[in-house]
Amino acid sequence: MASEDIAKLAETLAKTQVAGGQLSFKGKSLKLNTAEDAKDVIKEIEDFDGLEALRLEGNTVGVEAARVIAKALEKKSELKRCHWSDMFTGRLRSEIPPALISLGEGLITAGAQLVELDLSDNAFGPDGVRGFEALLKSSTCFTLHELKLNNCGMGVGGGKILAAALTECHRKSSAQGKPLALKVFMAGRNRLENDGATALAEAFGIIGTLEEVHMPQNGINHPGVTALAQAFAINPLLRVINLNDNTFTEKGAVAMAKTLKALRQVEVINFGDCLVRSKGAVAIADAVHGGLPKLKELNLSFGEIKRDAALSVAEAVADKVELEKLDLNGNNLGEEGCEQLQEVLDGFNMAKVLASLSDDEGEDDEDEDEDEEEEEEEEEEEPQPGERRERPTAPPRKMLDPDGGEPAPVLSSPPPADVSTFLAFPSPEKLLRLGPKSSVLIAQQTDTSDPEKVVSAFLKVSSVFKDEATVRSAVQDAVDTLMKKAFSSSSFNSNAFLTRLLIHMGLLKSEDKIKAIANLYGPLMALNHMVQQEYFPKALAPLLLAFVTKRCCLNPWAFAWTVWGVPTWWP
């Protein structure tokens, strides 16, 4: 009977439509130039009742095809999520704005209320921002929660256009009594520089509801960093601040440290490769010591930080009970400094949170004061408009060419990944860069005695699932190693695991305010694999099957009482 349950569950999972009414053409490499090319896509859109999410990533859409797709979208008023990254591969820059304009008009005509718009990896430059400017200003985006624009080559001009559009969206939505409440903003690798960052900072200050800001690799120096810091101070819900690979120096770091003292919800700080230097690190350490009770990750790697400043940072995290990772790699600690750092953290029983120090630059023998004087002299020489300050320690990067007709190459060799970074910001690329031992590393990083932490790790791993052999295999291997370790432990509560998993997947209501994950495709595919493995407890199969097929929404305590005869909190 158990084997029949497993077979039925696997079949059901394989056939289950992804939650949220999602229609996906992701990664199909479709070349949609004309209306004829797009006819199959249009038919699927028209025939899909209750369309809430449309995935067009990994295809290439021309002007005419975009126009007819937009026409099909005019009747899809329930559409909430547009996953439209990497959908203009090989297109001329001049083709992208009119295509975006058409798609935006289709959404506006439909009266859609978007909560997520992802246009990352589209290389559209400043003119491309004009393509969705009207959409951002329209009522369709009054409900927007997540805006993702990584690697689009917006430049300073595009940043200013974007900032003005967000400000206008907030003004118009506020006039209707429901102000724009943007939560997630991503715009890495866009060459925003100081002026673009400052313009966006003004918009952030007006919006005031941000929870995550990701703006790595944008050529931002201390004036732009200071503007962002001032804006962050009036966004009290901020949980994630990622400004990796910009140039803080002491001035920017001190300004950011002042803001951190005012924030209470921050969980992740990524100021790696930001040249915060020693005085900046000490200022940040002071902010950490006096607050940030929920801090989980602090990255100050490759910042030209010397030993004493690094030790100050280590001492500052002594009371951060939720800290999972402290990254001080690539600084100037020296062999003795690295040992002292490990000893300090070991004294707090926190040695395990320290990331590798394998790339430490060694102790700097030059006088600290002389270094700081040289730094101040360098900062006085501001770059001319259009120039970008060169940093000798940073490798050259190929960015998007804002003036060319074709997208320029973007990435050189990707940086190495580590488990904590993957779990904080999961992506297929990061999982693959963990190498052949990725599954073991993830299992080691996860406390498998805690069902909630196992659920979190399972969902993060499965979220990057793609129907490509290498990624699919990496995800399945990681799931197998993690869950085999958990289920084989006598202290692991399998019933509690299933309850928490169902809650996070939105299949079971919770008295806690837990936001269900938006995209169930990866988790469903991972579950389909997991339930067919020997380590999966066969007793869980009928329970999971009931919820996948019926999508029950019971009170969790009632669910636990009905299924196991006792609430999960029962002693």
Side-chain angles (χ1 to χ4, degrees):
M1 184 66 182
S3 60
E4 292 179 4
D5 288 334
I6 292 293
K8 187 174 180 180
L9 176 56
E11 181 183 2
T12 302
L13 286 168
K15 293 180 179 179
T16 299
Q17 185 185 72
V18 176
Q22 176 174 280
L23 176 59
S24 178
F25 299 95
K26 182 178 179 179
K28 293 191 175 182
S29 301
L30 301 175
K31 296 181 180 179
L32 308 178
N33 298 315
T34 65
E36 179 66 21
D37 295 336
K39 66 178 183 180
D40 291 339
V41 171
I42 293 167
K43 187 177 188 307
E44 288 198 52
I45 291 174
E46 291 175 340
D47 293 345
F48 198 109
D49 292 330
L51 180 63
E52 294 185 15
L54 178 61
R55 307 193 76 100
L56 293 173
E57 311 104 307
N59 299 291
T60 178
V61 181
V63 176
E64 183 180 338
R67 189 178 300 119
V68 292
I69 291 173
K71 193 69 177 176
L73 292 177
E74 289 181 358
K75 297 180 181 179
K76 301 299 176 181
S77 60
E78 297 178 0
L79 189 61
K80 293 180 175 64
R81 299 181 183 275
C82 296
H83 302 280
W84 294 351
S85 63
D86 188 24
M87 57 179 274
F88 296 113
T89 304
R91 298 287 169 185
L92 294 173
R93 288 271 296 277
S94 59
E95 293 182 84
I96 300 176
L100 288 173
I101 289 171
S102 293
L103 292 168
E105 289 175 346
L107 297 173
I108 295 170
T109 301
Q113 299 284 288
L114 294 186
V115 296
E116 180 178 0
L117 177 61
D118 186 356
L119 292 171
S120 299
D121 301 316
N122 276 316
F124 45 57
D127 292 341
V129 185
R130 294 286 188 197
F132 61 94
E133 179 184 15
L135 174 63
L136 280 182
K137 293 179 179 180
S138 74
S139 59
T140 293
C141 286
F142 287 0
T143 50
L144 197 63
H145 287 168
E146 301 181 31
L147 180 59
K148 301 175 182 178
L149 298 165
N150 284 322
N151 193 30
C152 289
M154 292 188 292
V156 173
K160 290 181 176 180
I161 296 168
L162 176 61
L166 289 172
T167 301
E168 179 68 3
C169 181
H170 186 273
R171 184 191 68 79
K172 292 169 70 175
S173 59
S174 297
Q176 293 190 9
K178 295 183 178 180
L180 171 67
L182 190 66
K183 296 179 180 180
V184 177
F185 179 83
M186 297 184 179
R189 291 183 185 161
N190 271 291
R191 294 200 308 189
L192 294 170
E193 302 183 2
N194 290 331
D195 289 347
T198 299
L200 285 167
E202 292 177 5
F204 296 162
I206 293 169
I207 294 169
T209 56
L210 288 167
E211 296 180 13
E212 296 185 24
V213 175
H214 304 263
M215 297 174 65
Q217 297 181 18
N218 269 298
I220 306 171
N221 297 327
H222 71 81
V225 172
T226 300
L228 288 171
Q230 292 168 349
F232 293 165
I234 44 182
N235 280 266
L237 301 178
L238 266 175
R239 295 183 297 104
V240 178
I241 305 175
N242 177 10
L243 295 176
N244 185 282
D245 200 4
N246 289 292
T247 310
F248 281 39
T249 63
E250 179 189 339
K251 291 181 180 179
V254 169
M256 195 61 71
K258 182 178 179 181
T259 285
L260 292 176
K261 289 183 177 181
L263 299 175
R264 304 291 294 174
Q265 304 300 319
V266 174
E267 298 176 6
V268 177
I269 297 172
N270 187 344
F271 297 159
D273 201 15
C274 284
L275 292 182
V276 298
R277 295 199 169 105
S278 294
K279 288 187 178 180
V282 170
I284 292 171
D286 184 50
V288 170
H289 178 72
L292 303 179
K294 298 182 179 181
L295 189 64
K296 294 181 178 179
E297 180 174 341
L298 176 59
N299 184 346
L300 296 176
S301 60
F302 298 93
E304 295 188 0
I305 300 170
K306 297 185 179 180
R307 179 180 59 184
D308 290 346
L311 293 175
S312 296
V313 173
E315 292 167 356
V317 302
D319 62 343
K320 307 307 170 193
V321 295
E322 296 187 32
L323 191 70
E324 298 173 359
K325 180 181 179 182
L326 173 63
D327 193 345
L328 288 165
N329 195 21
N331 286 299
N332 302 108
L333 279 62
E335 184 176 347
E336 183 178 345
C338 290
E339 292 175 357
Q340 290 177 338
L341 185 63
Q342 291 170 327
E343 289 172 1
V344 168
L345 290 169
D346 192 42
F348 306 141
N349 292 320
M350 297 178 72
K352 65 179 182 180
V353 306
L354 184 63
S356 169
L357 298 173
S358 59
D359 293 319
D360 186 72
E361 297 287 341
E363 197 163 6
D364 194 339
D365 294 330
E366 294 183 15
D367 185 77
E368 175 91 20
D369 293 334
E370 290 179 359
D371 287 347
E372 298 299 341
E373 288 174 3
E374 290 176 3
E375 173 189 323
E376 291 171 3
E377 290 174 0
E378 290 172 0
E379 289 181 0
E380 288 173 0
E381 298 177 8
E382 292 298 328
Q384 297 299 315
E387 290 183 353
R388 185 178 178 187
R389 187 189 303 278
E390 295 295 325
R391 288 172 27 195
T393 57
R397 302 179 183 275
K398 294 183 178 180
M399 304 296 288
L400 302 173
D401 180 4
D403 301 314
E406 294 287 348
V410 177
L411 279 174
S412 52
S413 57
D418 59 66
V419 178
S420 297
T421 301
F422 166 74
L423 291 175
F425 309 104
S427 73
E429 296 75 20
K430 289 177 185 173
L431 178 61
L432 295 177
R433 291 207 302 271
L434 288 174
K437 294 185 178 180
S438 59
S439 59
V440 175
L441 294 172
I442 291 170
Q444 290 175 343
Q445 184 82 3
T446 305
D447 180 2
T448 50
S449 65
D450 186 336
E452 179 66 24
K453 290 181 179 179
V454 174
V455 168
S456 177
F458 173 85
L459 291 175
K460 287 178 178 179
V461 170
S462 62
S463 71
V464 307
F465 182 94
K466 294 174 67 176
D467 196 18
E468 298 176 4
T470 53
V471 177
R472 181 174 63 249
S473 177
V475 169
Q476 291 175 348
D477 287 348
V479 166
D480 286 343
T481 304
L482 173 68
M483 297 314 304
K484 185 175 182 180
K485 178 182 177 184
F487 286 133
S488 63
S489 172
S490 59
S491 63
F492 184 66
N493 189 331
S494 299
N495 295 338
F497 165 78
L498 182 57
T499 300
R500 301 306 295 175
L501 180 62
L502 291 170
I503 289 172
H504 282 281
M505 292 178 69
L507 303 179
L508 182 65
K509 288 184 178 179
S510 170
E511 293 181 351
D512 301 327
K513 292 184 178 180
I514 295 177
K515 180 182 177 182
I517 57 176
N519 182 9
L520 287 183
Y521 174 69
L524 286 173
M525 294 301 100
L527 275 174
N528 183 32
H529 169 78
M530 181 178 75
V531 300
Q532 300 178 69
Q533 307 309 308
E534 287 294 325
Y535 61 76
F536 181 74
K538 303 301 184 283
L540 297 184
L543 310 179
L544 183 55
L545 177 62
F547 277 82
V548 172
T549 53
K550 297 181 181 179
R551 299 201 175 199
C552 302
C553 288
L554 301 173
N555 179 285
W557 311 130
F559 168 70
W561 192 277
T562 301
V563 174
W564 295 303
V566 61
T568 54
W569 44 262
W570 198 266

